[in-house]
Amino acid sequence: MSLDAAASADVIAPRRTIVRAAGALGLGNVASRVLGLVRETVIASQFGAGTLFGAFVVASQVPTTIYDLLIGGLLAAALVPVFSEYATRDDENRALWRLAGLVLSVVTLLLVLFTALVILFAPQVTFLYLSEAPPELQAQTTTLVRLVAPSILFFGLSGVLTGLLYALKRFTFAAFASSFFNLGLIIGALGISRLFEGDARIIGLALGLVLGSVLQLALLLPDLRGVPFRFHVGSFWRDPGIRRIVALYLPVALSFVVSNIGVIMDRNLASSTAASADTLSWMRYATTLIQLPIGLVAVAISLAVLPNLSRLSALDEQAGYRRVLQRGLRLVLVLIVPATIGLLVLGQPIVSLLFERGAYTPYDTYWTTWALRLYLLGLPFAAIDQVLIIAFYSRQDTWTPALVGIATVVIFLVVALLLVGPFQMLGLVFANSVQHFAHALIMVILLQRHMGGLTGGGLRAAAPRILLAAAGMGLVVWLVASATSGLQPGFIGRVLAVLLPGAAGLASYALFTTLLRLEEAREVAHMLLRR
């Protein structure tokens, strides 16, 4: 068998391969998201939704923004496709190890530089996000920005190593790494913060963020044993792999710059509302619940299909490419649509169960629930968008998603500026959902026009059945939730108000997908039972 034929046979694997890979990532995400919910529950009880936590929300955005700019886009758009291509060149991966060592060396130097700049210019960074905020909030945020700055280095190194592991199809350690980040924040909120008094307790949470970034990096190292890394940067620009990565990354970087202008505007508009610190906190807690299905479903599946799509594209296997792409989209839809409807129906009892204790009041639950409802309008589009973006990245086309991202940031800003005055926080959240809808719609149109990626494959036949099954599930959840609304108040009552409708919804969705013969739902169920 020729090398190309062998590679093709390896790549065009049975469709269960994607489910298994997505399952490994999904289970890691389950652990991460469960710990993430525990993290937010602990933080809510300790710090509530006031100025103190609002300062941390903004400060934690700084390392996230720099990671997204330098590494986040680089990971899916350039590192995994290029590393995957190098992984097919020889059995011993000598070229891959050399390129990975070079990338790691250059990225380390850049991250150290950015960390130093953030520490030095922390007041200016804070003003960029909170120009309209009270001086007290700006001062607290500046202190926290300096404390969390070292996490920039650890997050960035974790991102590069994750890209290498995905290219090698080693998913498990990378999938569970973010769980250790959440663990660090929990330690910070419950343990380190007790070393301080009064408002200074928030310092413990910032130090917990740094601890979490270190733990996340440490978990990746066992899966890299035997990899011959070597620190070297000499003449790195002449390396063809580096030049290819940079060429793929530049449009993504441009898109992230524009996107983060949108984020900065969002934070400034939020800080100008009547309850600025509370608004930032409510949006943070609602976003946590939105990120749960995105992480468990969309991110897991898109990262699972990326290496296969990249290799199929390199081999010009168009039929196999479309099969894998459609497979990923169907898997996302069969999971994200019922998740959206379930969160819409059970949003208030879920928010109350997870967050309403200690410093977090029923008033906070009310506004967090409203933010969640409006975020849910964009959730299905944000989820399928993950796979659509990956489809372009796998073909080493990073300009198309970048330009679409820039256009939709403009759409977000227009809608946000029109709505923030009359509707305050809710106007900002709705603008975010409009942005996700516009981005997904444009990407679908471009994908169909350029690749024919949505032609055939059963997606159009499956979508109505998925919507019908999810709608039936939503009705069952609503009926059970209404019947159990009179449960006794207290923790047990709140648990049952979520658990009973949730269990009924899961059982009914399994029944409806079986009756409608949705094959993807059955395969996901079998995979979960096996694991």
Side-chain angles (χ1 to χ4, degrees):
M1 181 181 292
S2 67
L3 178 61
D4 285 348
S8 179
D10 174 65
V11 172
I12 307 173
R15 54 192 177 190
R16 288 191 298 271
T17 302
I18 297 174
V19 177
R20 286 197 299 268
L25 290 165
L27 288 175
N29 272 310
V30 167
S32 173
R33 301 301 170 173
V34 169
L35 278 175
L37 290 176
V38 173
R39 175 198 73 198
E40 294 301 310
T41 300
V42 168
I43 291 173
S45 66
Q46 296 293 314
F47 301 102
T51 301
L52 202 60
F53 184 59
F56 175 78
V57 169
V58 176
S60 63
Q61 186 71 45
V62 174
T64 300
T65 299
I66 294 175
Y67 172 84
D68 287 342
L69 176 63
L70 293 181
I71 306 298
L74 187 68
L75 177 64
L79 288 184
V80 176
V82 175
F83 282 167
S84 296
E85 180 182 336
Y86 270 65
T88 64
R89 292 188 176 183
D90 62 79
D91 294 335
E92 297 181 2
N93 289 325
R94 289 185 296 269
L96 176 61
W97 304 145
R98 184 187 180 283
L99 177 62
L102 190 56
V103 170
L104 199 62
S105 302
V106 174
V107 167
T108 299
L109 295 177
L110 285 174
L111 292 172
V112 169
L113 174 62
F114 269 84
T115 301
L117 290 174
V118 167
I119 293 173
L120 183 62
F121 295 104
Q124 290 78 11
V125 171
T126 298
F127 184 79
L128 190 65
Y129 282 90
L130 297 174
S131 59
E132 302 295 326
E136 177 189 3
L137 180 58
Q138 291 193 32
Q140 289 175 327
T141 304
T142 298
T143 300
L144 296 179
V145 166
R146 287 195 168 110
L147 288 172
V148 302
S151 66
I152 295 170
L153 174 62
F154 303 117
F155 282 139
L157 295 178
S158 297
V160 174
L161 296 178
T162 298
L164 178 60
L165 290 174
Y166 285 162
L168 296 171
K169 297 188 179 182
R170 302 177 186 177
F171 297 109
T172 304
F173 280 85
F176 284 90
S178 58
S179 301
F180 281 66
F181 166 68
N182 290 325
L183 182 61
L185 276 169
I186 293 170
I187 293 172
L190 290 179
I192 303 175
S193 64
R194 296 181 182 275
L195 303 176
F196 303 90
E197 296 182 357
D199 288 351
R201 291 184 305 116
I202 200 69
I203 292 175
L205 192 58
L207 295 177
L209 186 148
V210 178
L211 173 63
S213 68
V214 174
L215 294 175
Q216 177 175 305
L217 175 62
L219 188 66
L220 299 175
L221 299 181
D223 222 2
L224 292 163
R225 59 188 179 278
V227 175
F229 283 126
R230 185 171 66 88
F231 188 90
H232 61 109
V233 295
S235 303
F236 73 91
W237 181 245
R238 297 179 183 176
D239 187 277
I242 290 289
R243 297 178 71 170
R244 186 60 184 152
I245 288 172
V246 172
L248 291 170
Y249 169 65
L250 284 178
V252 179
L254 175 63
S255 175
F256 270 114
V257 168
V258 176
S259 297
N260 279 291
I261 290 174
V263 172
I264 290 170
M265 288 290 294
D266 181 59
R267 292 291 179 262
N268 275 285
L269 290 171
S271 68
S272 68
T273 58
S276 58
D278 290 337
T279 294
L280 291 168
S281 302
W282 295 330
M283 292 169 68
R284 155 78 178 237
Y285 290 125
T287 301
T288 298
L289 294 177
I290 291 296
Q291 289 299 322
L292 179 64
I294 288 180
L296 293 179
V297 177
V299 174
I301 292 173
S302 61
L303 290 176
V305 302
L306 177 56
N308 280 337
L309 287 177
S310 297
R311 296 189 184 189
L312 284 164
S313 179
L315 294 167
D316 198 28
E317 292 279 359
Q318 296 304 314
Y321 181 93
R322 281 193 290 270
R323 284 197 299 270
V324 171
L325 174 59
Q326 291 237 6
R327 188 69 178 169
L329 287 170
R330 292 200 306 273
L331 282 170
V332 167
L333 285 175
V334 82
L335 294 172
I336 206 67
V337 174
T340 301
I341 293 177
L343 279 172
L344 186 63
V345 177
L346 295 177
Q348 188 276 330
I350 289 175
V351 171
S352 176
L353 173 63
L354 293 176
F355 305 131
E356 194 177 307
R357 58 182 55 82
Y360 192 95
T361 66
Y363 180 74
D364 297 318
T365 295
Y366 176 83
W367 285 110
T368 300
T369 301
W370 269 108
L372 173 64
R373 288 167 180 162
L374 291 181
Y375 275 133
L376 285 170
L377 296 178
L379 174 58
F381 305 104
I384 64 172
D385 211 25
Q386 295 283 333
V387 181
L388 298 174
I389 292 172
I390 287 298
F392 282 93
Y393 284 173
S394 66
R395 300 171 72 91
Q396 300 194 12
D397 175 6
T398 54
W399 274 108
T400 299
L403 293 175
V404 174
I406 292 171
T408 53
V409 167
V410 174
I411 292 173
F412 163 78
L413 291 175
V414 170
V415 177
L417 290 171
L418 288 174
L419 297 182
V420 68
F423 299 105
Q424 299 285 291
M425 174 193 72
L426 298 183
L428 293 176
V429 177
F430 181 75
N432 181 266
S433 291
V434 171
Q435 180 184 8
H436 286 308
F437 169 76
H439 198 290
L441 178 62
I442 296 171
M443 292 293 284
V444 165
I445 294 172
L446 293 176
L447 182 67
Q448 181 63 26
R449 180 174 299 175
H450 293 170
M451 308 178 199
L454 301 181
T455 301
L459 180 61
R460 294 180 182 179
R465 289 182 289 155
I466 292 170
L467 289 172
L468 182 60
M473 179 216 72
L475 178 61
V476 171
V477 171
W478 179 78
L479 290 173
V480 176
S482 299
T484 57
S485 60
L487 291 172
Q488 290 288 82
F491 179 74
I492 299 300
R494 284 189 287 177
V495 170
L496 293 176
V498 173
L499 186 60
L500 294 178
L506 185 62
S508 62
Y509 189 63
L511 174 62
F512 294 143
T513 53
T514 300
L515 294 175
L516 293 170
R517 298 182 179 180
L518 281 168
E519 188 177 350
E520 290 77 16
R522 185 175 67 251
E523 290 185 2
V524 170
H526 287 170
M527 180 272 297
L528 291 175
L529 290 173
R530 285 197 306 270
R531 289 184 178 273

